[in-house]
Amino acid sequence: MTTVLSVAAELYPIIKTGGLADVTGALPAALAAEGVMIRSLLPGYPAALAALTAATPVLDLPDLAGGPARLLAGTAAGLAVLVLDAPHLYARPGNPYLGPDGRDWPDNPIRFAALSQVAALLGRGAVPTLRPDVIHAHDWQAGLVPALLHYHGGPRPGTVMTVHNLAFPGKAPSAMLADLFLPPHAFAIDGVEFFGAISLLKAGLQFADRITTVSPTYAAEIQTQDHGMGFDGLLRRRAADLSGILNGIDTTVWNPATDPLLATRYSTPEGRTPNKAALQRELGLAEDPAMPLFAVVSRLTDQKGIDILLACLPALPGQLALLGTGERDLEAAFRAARSPHVAPMIGYDEGHAHRIQAGADILLVPSRFEPCGLTQLYALRYGAVPLVARVGGLADTVIDANPAALAAGVATGFQFAPLTPETLAAALRQAAARYAEPATWRRLQTNGMAADVSWRAPARAYAALYRSLA
Ligand code: ADP
Ligand code: GLC
């Protein structure tokens, strides 16, 4: 049995702001089937401490980054977890990164450095019964783990650094070096220095044994200047250790046949009809089955290309349901765009996210870049046809309904490129035209619903990777 310590800032269903949580929350069960035992290390947010059951203290840290801390081992929502109880760092309700003013907590680098420091201690055997074979670090919040193991020497486990999003470098001022448990010589180009500051993500990319990202196309894209966000040189140098493993989805949480969040459960496209009507009713949209219902479930940020969709709204060939939170100006723009055809829901709501996948005809993902993307995978499984920008994991998971793919009967959705208001508008029109052809549409839906979007294949790839390092 290979044992893995997973280190991340999010873990579904305990704490989630996006796809990272879905992935770290689903991997333990998926990997158990491959003979890998994953334990997840999580900051002691109020939500994490509240979810923890059968907790035992396993490590006492009288002074961790300016305050006392202890590590609790237990289970939470059925997952094996280690929760770092450090009130001076984590006893802050709500969003894991943002204060009540909507800004990043200024001590975020230190909060997550403390988490990484504890992971590194466990890696070196601080709690003998919890010594992992491999540490799997996710995104910048866990990026220091491989660097701390490197600089502090001694025997160490294998390390995997997974990039879920290169757009978050985890920057800290150079003056913070010691607070991040790093020695002075770490501030160097072959260390953690990044354009005059410290990057916690770079710390991971530099020193992890292996680097993965969440789709093959994104793995290639991030080695280019256009998508490399300043890390492309380093990633090209490490190309032999870098691979893309596509995300799967938790097909028990996302199963239209058993989903407790739906009014009507279903396993064929026809079963969706009452869900569409219910969604239209709920959103105050005309209850017209002939009208294509487009939808978005997304963080409202520049990454997601939502501004481009805004530009297309006047010519939208149907209705739009949008569920999202994020940048204040995008939230305001969508609130202002409300019309008889456009129903914005500014907020975060897991139930609405499920009901939109079950009721919408077309799920839009017009991202500027997308490491993997999960909402298009949920859409496939729920029979909502995805319409996506041809980038990153979106390119890898949707089969475009071009004439050849339609003729071969293999299409599952629509892709367009490059991302402009004109190309998106054309794609919306194309989707609406296909929607008006019931046989074509049903084929797109049934192909999508039959696609294997589970964790089975990706879990095997992770298991092989872990074993090669254990
Ligand atoms: P990212 O991680 O970049 O936000 P993904 O597509 O990988 O993008 O994952 C997004 C996850 O967050 C999905 O599970 C999606 O359903 C969920 N999500 C995003 N916005 C909301 C929202 N406003 N309400 C509920 N769920 C949301
Ligand atoms: C990131 C990416 C998204 C990916 C998710 C899970 O948040 O933006 O594309 O699906 O991580 O890997």
Side-chain angles (χ1 to χ4, degrees):
M1 169 84 74
T2 309
T3 58
V4 175
L5 178 68
S6 169
V7 188
E10 300 186 27
L11 185 70
Y12 178 87
I14 298 154
I15 183 100
K16 165 170 166 176
T17 71
L20 170 66
D22 290 349
V23 172
T24 57
L27 278 177
L31 267 297
E34 299 295 326
V36 174
M37 198 281 174
I38 296 186
R39 200 174 267 114
S40 303
L41 173 64
L42 197 61
Y45 314 118
L49 291 168
L52 192 61
T53 53
T56 346
V58 289
L59 192 61
D60 247 312
L61 301 145
D63 180 16
L64 179 69
R70 56 186 195 146
L71 187 65
L72 302 168
T75 57
L79 299 164
V81 293
L82 297 169
V83 175
L84 180 57
D85 182 19
H88 63 298
L89 301 173
Y90 310 126
R92 309 173 192 181
N95 185 289
Y97 316 117
L98 309 177
D101 58 357
R103 290 170 193 271
D104 283 331
W105 293 107
D107 61 346
N108 272 352
I110 295 169
R111 297 171 74 216
F112 294 108
L115 186 76
S116 301
Q117 166 73 347
V118 170
L121 291 174
L122 291 170
R124 284 199 299 270
V127 183
T129 51
L130 296 175
R131 181 201 286 266
D133 298 316
V134 173
I135 299 187
H136 190 165
H138 296 271
D139 273 353
W140 72 265
Q141 296 91 348
L144 274 181
V145 180
L148 294 174
L149 288 167
H150 169 83
Y151 287 115
H152 297 170
R156 63 169 186 86
T159 52
V160 178
M161 177 80 226
T162 292
V163 178
H164 294 266
N165 200 330
L166 208 57
F168 299 101
K171 274 205 185 187
S174 58
M176 256 190 201
L177 202 64
D179 295 328
L180 304 180
F181 309 94
L182 291 165
H185 64 277
F187 194 70
I189 185 74
D190 59 353
V192 303
E193 190 270 341
F194 184 66
F195 295 100
I198 298 166
S199 158
L200 278 69
L201 179 62
K202 178 172 171 181
L205 298 178
Q206 192 75 259
F207 296 109
D209 294 319
R210 295 291 160 75
I211 302 167
T212 71
T213 187
V214 288
S215 71
T217 293
Y218 193 61
E221 286 172 347
I222 58 178
Q223 297 178 54
T224 67
Q225 217 165 24
D226 277 353
H227 288 279
M229 311 255 177
F231 295 102
D232 46 295
L234 165 55
L235 291 167
R236 282 195 299 277
R237 187 167 62 66
R238 297 222 53 195
D241 301 317
L242 166 64
S243 61
I245 302 177
L246 207 54
N247 284 335
I249 66 170
D250 188 326
T251 50
T252 55
V253 176
W254 293 91
N255 180 355
T258 57
D259 191 334
L261 298 167
L262 301 186
T264 311
R265 294 181 261 285
Y266 62 93
S267 47
T268 63
E270 289 67 35
R272 298 168 41 83
T273 310
N275 285 300
K276 177 174 177 180
L279 187 61
Q280 287 171 320
R281 252 195 323 278
E282 181 182 353
L283 298 179
L285 297 167
E287 238 179 276
D288 178 358
M291 184 77 103
L293 175 53
F294 295 89
V296 172
V297 179
S298 184
R299 292 185 292 117
L300 302 180
T301 65
D302 184 66
Q303 171 187 348
K304 302 294 181 176
I306 292 302
D307 51 314
I308 304 289
L309 176 63
L310 265 174
C312 296
L313 285 187
L316 186 76
Q319 302 169 329
L320 177 73
L322 175 131
L323 173 65
T325 52
E327 288 164 16
R328 299 292 170 252
D329 52 337
L330 286 172
E331 291 186 352
F334 270 100
R335 277 204 188 92
R338 178 181 290 282
S339 79
H341 290 300
V342 176
M345 284 180 277
I346 304 305
Y348 191 95
D349 187 304
E350 205 70 41
H352 273 129
H354 284 241
R355 287 191 288 279
I356 286 177
Q357 298 287 8
D361 298 303
I362 299 138
L363 194 280
L364 304 176
V365 197
S367 304
R368 291 194 161 80
F369 66 94
E370 196 60 75
C372 180
L374 295 174
T375 61
Q376 84 281 9
L377 301 180
Y378 300 138
L380 289 170
R381 180 121 170 97
Y382 276 58
V385 176
L387 188 164
V388 304
R390 188 181 300 121
V391 290
L394 301 173
D396 292 339
T397 53
V398 173
I399 303 174
D400 180 49
N402 57 47
L406 282 175
V410 297
T412 59
F414 303 91
Q415 294 191 357
F416 69 98
L419 174 65
T420 67
E422 293 73 31
T423 53
L424 175 55
L428 296 173
R429 282 195 302 274
Q430 191 203 351
R434 295 300 182 198
Y435 179 75
E437 301 166 10
T440 308
W441 198 256
R442 188 172 197 284
R443 189 66 198 265
L444 288 172
Q445 291 179 301
T446 52
N447 285 348
M449 292 175 83
D452 182 7
V453 291
S454 77
W455 274 107
R456 225 151 18 111
R460 246 177 257 139
Y462 278 115
L465 180 64
Y466 295 149
R467 287 210 182 89
S468 75
L469 293 173

